[in-house]
Amino acid sequence: IWRKIHDHSSWYRHNIRSQLLNQFLKSAAEVLSPKGEIHVALCGGQGGCSATTLQDWKGSWTASMFAAEHGLITVREFPFDAQYNLSSHRGVDRPFHLGKDPKMYIFAKPDGVLSVPRDIQLCCRHELHVMVPNDDGVSSSCSLDQILSGDAIESIIQNIVPDGIRVEIPARKILSIPTEHGEDECIAVFLVVYCSEKAPLTRDMADEWRANTENEVSKYIPLRQNRKGRTVSRPFPYPALHPEIKYHTTGEK
């Protein structure tokens, strides 16, 4: 049980305390029983698990990201009713500011049954750029319409990732890109999102899935070569996804 609910805005203190939380979760995960739970109480905004913007997430202690790095999932988040507001400092009890909306976060080891509520799932995203060929350039197992709608792409990727990871393609866009030969190339851009539904998610894991995705999808339809191999985003909370979508299907060259 962690109850470090002091509200401090200093960036230095923010960084020190977030790393302290990271080390606490690491140590706790190492001794946690299979059915055990880790309870962490933080001031509103410090946990970041349900942040609705990337700015709020980056200003938090990114608790769910640290938990995932140590093999944990965030199974619950709920208001915490703090029963005290004193902290001992150099032998003297001093009051501290609780801030708004303290929250309790519950972390546990994945067991295939525990699931993370969608509004606190951790995600990584990347763009997948595919060339839109003539009908004869597409694998017979997938129609061009299925590919462009995103349904076939999502199904392919879902079969690649481990159990407990949910795949979404929440945005897609068709681009016309001029070539040096004077002809335009038609490109379909898909925003691929990996979500920690029942399993931990880290950037390294998601980047491995991104590489596997590119290899598998290229068996069905050609990919845009200069957009392959780009690292996935850093992890972020699912509620921050949709406000950011318009900025990440830009189709820049």
Side-chain angles (χ1 to χ4, degrees):
I1 298 176
W2 164 294
R3 290 187 179 180
K4 189 70 173 178
I5 55 175
H6 301 204
D7 184 15
H8 293 294
S9 58
S10 160
W11 170 250
Y12 173 77
R13 289 178 175 177
H14 168 278
N15 188 50
I16 292 297
R17 286 176 170 81
S18 64
Q19 287 305 314
L20 182 61
L21 174 60
N22 181 26
Q23 292 303 313
F24 168 78
L25 290 169
K26 178 179 184 295
S27 298
E30 291 172 353
V31 298
L32 190 66
S33 66
K35 297 296 183 180
E37 294 181 343
I38 300 171
H39 293 212
V40 176
L42 296 169
C43 287
Q46 286 181 339
C49 300
S50 55
T52 57
T53 69
L54 293 185
Q55 182 178 0
D56 288 345
W57 169 245
K58 292 174 182 178
S60 76
W61 293 5
T62 59
S64 55
M65 184 182 73
F66 290 137
E69 290 174 355
H70 305 305
L72 302 168
I73 56 176
T74 311
V75 294
R76 277 184 290 162
E77 174 197 74
F78 55 86
F80 174 64
D81 182 16
Q83 300 296 318
Y84 62 97
N85 65 349
L86 293 176
S87 178
S88 180
H89 178 67
R90 296 180 179 177
V92 178
D93 286 340
R94 300 177 186 274
F96 59 87
H97 182 47
L98 282 172
K100 296 181 179 179
D101 304 321
K103 296 287 183 67
M104 177 67 78
Y105 300 92
I106 310 297
F107 303 99
K109 293 181 178 179
D111 60 2
V113 177
L114 288 172
S115 61
V116 182
R118 185 165 296 200
D119 61 353
I120 57 173
Q121 287 179 11
L122 201 60
C123 306
C124 284
R125 63 170 178 262
H126 67 91
E127 288 184 354
L128 183 70
H129 289 229
V130 305
M131 310 292 293
V132 180
N134 296 326
D135 289 344
D136 56 3
V138 180
S139 168
S140 59
S141 61
C142 295
S143 72
L144 185 60
D145 286 344
Q146 286 177 317
I147 290 173
L148 295 183
S149 71
D151 295 341
I153 299 287
E154 185 173 308
S155 178
I156 291 169
I157 302 173
Q158 189 65 69
N159 288 328
I160 293 172
V161 301
D163 291 341
I165 298 298
R166 179 172 56 84
V167 175
E168 274 194 23
I169 299 184
R172 57 191 62 81
K173 187 176 183 179
I174 304 297
L175 305 174
S176 184
I177 307 296
T179 68
E180 59 184 14
H181 304 295
E183 299 179 352
D184 288 351
E185 289 181 335
C186 190
I187 309 291
V189 183
F190 301 94
L191 185 65
V192 180
V193 183
Y194 307 105
C195 306
S196 61
E197 189 168 63
K198 292 185 178 181
L201 176 150
T202 68
R203 193 182 193 186
D204 287 344
M205 291 176 183
D207 204 47
E208 182 179 342
W209 305 333
R210 186 270 312 154
N212 293 340
T213 289
E214 291 176 347
N215 290 335
E216 189 66 22
V217 172
S218 65
K219 297 176 183 178
Y220 299 88
I221 191 169
L223 300 184
R224 188 180 176 191
Q225 291 300 309
N226 67 350
R227 295 307 296 262
K228 289 178 62 177
R230 300 197 175 191
T231 306
V232 301
S233 72
R234 291 181 173 84
F236 62 93
Y238 184 76
L241 170 64
H242 292 279
E244 296 293 322
I245 282 178
K246 64 180 179 180
Y247 301 113
H248 295 280
T249 51
T250 58
E252 60 186 81
K253 297 181 185 178

